[in-house]
Each structure stands twice: as structure tokens, then as C-alpha cells.
Amino acid sequence: MKYLTFALAKGRLAKKSLELLEQIGITCEEMKDKDTRKLIFVNEELKLKFFLAKAGDVPTYVEYGAADIGVVGKDTILEEGRNLYEVMDLGFGKCRMCVCGPESARELLQHHEMIRVASKYPNIAKDYFYNQKHQTVEIIKLNGSVELAPIVNLSEVIVDIVETGSTLRENGLTVLEEVCPLSARMVVNQVSMKMENERIMKLINDLKTVL
Ligand code: PRP
């Protein structure tokens, strides 16, 4: 039997993914060792391999077939736009992609003004403003702490993830528009879905029973 390989997005999502897999009898003891520097973990009995990758790279590993299955946020799936099957909403990591800014920017959005939009997710921002709102804007790509941008006048608004809303509140910003809801999703390589259909469908069905 061939190994089935999982790419998990490093951090909170990987932890939640492992907890969920554990509920359906899939464990990887090796992975629980916090001090390990190993990158790939094997469950010989179940013929499974797991590795942790930067969230943004998970769709890449899955599209190229280096991983059969990935667990990653919908934000990353939308931003990366890779060819893969999104097969399941895992229900954790729930948050929202929003247009945020100071209350004063609401008017600029309503009047379709030419504004600057800072985001870690330039493709999502572009799709929202150009294809959904038909508003011409300038998109500025940032790599994190995006809430800074409207405070220091780099941009009028941002497109970013809102979970509890406390980052916005503590920085005098607010949600102005909602782009889409987000959560962790299971994605599958298109060839693996055919070649390993039985094993993957069993995994999906087992997960459905605990979700
Ligand atoms: C994310 C996101 C927001 C914050 C939202 O940032 O970009 O900044 O969390 O969470 P909240 O609504 O619960 O405050 P993250 O911590 O991933 O770091 P980053 O700023 O480097 O992207």
C-alpha cells in the first residue's frame, strides 16, 4: 500500500487537525514531541505521512502531488488559487475576511473612490474590489500587522482576517464590509482523488461522523 501524505498548515490549524484526526483513530505520536526538528512524520501501521508547511505553501504541495491531502484555511485557498479539490469544511478556525478601516473610510467605499487597500491577501482584495464591487483601487501587498496601514496613512482601508475583532478595536478600526466567511478546509490533489479514491472517501466519511 502506498503512503497517503498530509500537508498541514503549521500552527493552530495543524494542532486542531491532529486533534480531529485522532478522533477517527488516526494518530501520529512522533509529531507530538514539541522539541523535535523533524519535518516529516510517519505512521507505519496506517501507511500515512504527515508534514507541516507554511500555510501559504500547503496548496502548492497538494497541487503538485507532493501531498495527497492538505488542511489549510479558506483564505489561503482563495489567495493561492491552485488546482485542487476542496472537499470538506472542517468547521474550526472560523473567522471572516473583511474590509476594515476607520469609520471615516465608510464614505470612500460607498462613493467608489479611488482608494488604497493594504492586504496580505492581494488576490482576494483584487477579486473583491474589481470583480464583485467593480471599484478601481490600488492594492498594496503587506506581510503582516496590516492594521498599521490605515493608522499611518499607507492606505485608507485594509482587507484582512477578523476573528475576535480585538486587533481592530484596540487600534481604532472597524469592519466596514464583509468579503467572505473563512474556516479550515480539507483539500485533495486531483490525481490522488482518483487513484486513492477509496481511502480518501473513507477518511472524509469518518470525519463527517465526528464533525
Ligand atoms: C491575524 C489577522 C488580524 C488578527 C485578527 O493576524 O491578520 O491581524 O489575526 O484577529 P482578532 O480579530 O482576533 O484580533 P495574525 O495574528 O495572524 O498576524 P499578522 O498580523 O502577522 O498577520
Side-chain angles (χ1 to χ4, degrees):
M1 191 161 55
K2 181 188 162 294
Y3 283 99
L4 212 54
T5 302
F6 288 76
L8 307 176
K10 245 186 219 174
R12 263 182 303 178
L13 285 193
K15 195 164 170 271
K16 289 263 188 190
S17 310
L18 290 172
E19 284 168 12
L20 186 64
L21 289 170
E22 205 151 358
Q23 287 184 47
I24 58 165
I26 295 178
T27 53
C28 192
E29 290 308 315
E30 261 194 314
M31 228 170 166
K32 290 182 183 164
D33 174 5
K34 284 198 185 71
D35 299 321
T36 184
R37 303 289 293 168
K38 263 181 100 161
L39 296 172
I40 188 142
F41 305 90
V42 185
N43 180 325
E44 284 298 347
E45 206 189 319
L46 300 173
K47 287 279 178 235
L48 299 173
K49 285 186 186 172
F50 301 87
F51 63 83
L52 299 175
K54 273 272 210 192
D57 295 336
V58 168
T60 312
Y61 284 107
V62 175
E63 182 187 285
Y64 284 90
D68 301 292
I69 295 168
V71 177
V72 69
K74 179 70 178 174
D75 49 320
T76 308
I77 297 171
L78 291 171
E79 184 61 25
E80 294 300 315
R82 293 277 175 187
N83 288 313
L84 33 78
Y85 295 133
E86 183 187 319
V87 295
M88 205 174 184
D89 185 342
L90 298 173
F92 55 82
K94 277 203 168 98
C95 48
R96 300 181 290 157
M97 186 64 74
C98 297
V99 180
C100 311
E103 194 50 53
S104 60
R106 198 179 291 278
E107 239 188 322
L108 305 174
L109 290 170
Q110 277 161 2
H111 298 149
H112 281 219
E113 302 238 6
M114 173 71 191
I115 53 171
R116 289 197 290 209
V117 180
S119 186
K120 244 167 90 168
Y121 303 91
N123 293 326
I124 296 178
K126 210 176 292 169
D127 179 68
Y128 180 70
F129 279 99
Y130 283 70
N131 302 333
Q132 298 186 45
K133 290 193 46 143
H134 306 290
Q135 178 174 2
T136 308
V137 296
E138 183 181 346
I139 311 261
I140 302 173
K141 156 95 170 121
L142 288 179
N143 295 298
S145 302
V146 180
E147 290 83 359
L148 255 180
I151 302 173
V152 300
N153 294 319
L154 174 68
S155 69
E156 281 78 15
V157 298
I158 60 174
V159 168
D160 200 19
I161 292 174
V162 180
E163 193 182 350
T164 61
S166 43
T167 311
L168 291 179
R169 261 191 312 277
E170 289 182 29
N171 291 288
L173 305 173
T174 183
V175 171
L176 300 169
E177 290 174 1
E178 182 169 323
V179 177
C180 61
L182 303 169
S183 57
R185 309 291 161 97
M186 184 167 134
V187 293
V188 178
N189 170 270
Q190 295 183 342
V191 175
S192 306
M193 194 65 193
K194 292 192 185 71
M195 305 301 286
E196 295 292 333
N197 191 265
E198 211 174 303
R199 286 172 87 190
I200 294 173
M201 285 315 293
K202 174 162 182 350
L203 176 73
I204 294 172
N205 288 327
D206 287 353
L207 285 171
K208 277 186 185 155
T209 64
V210 297
L211 283 174

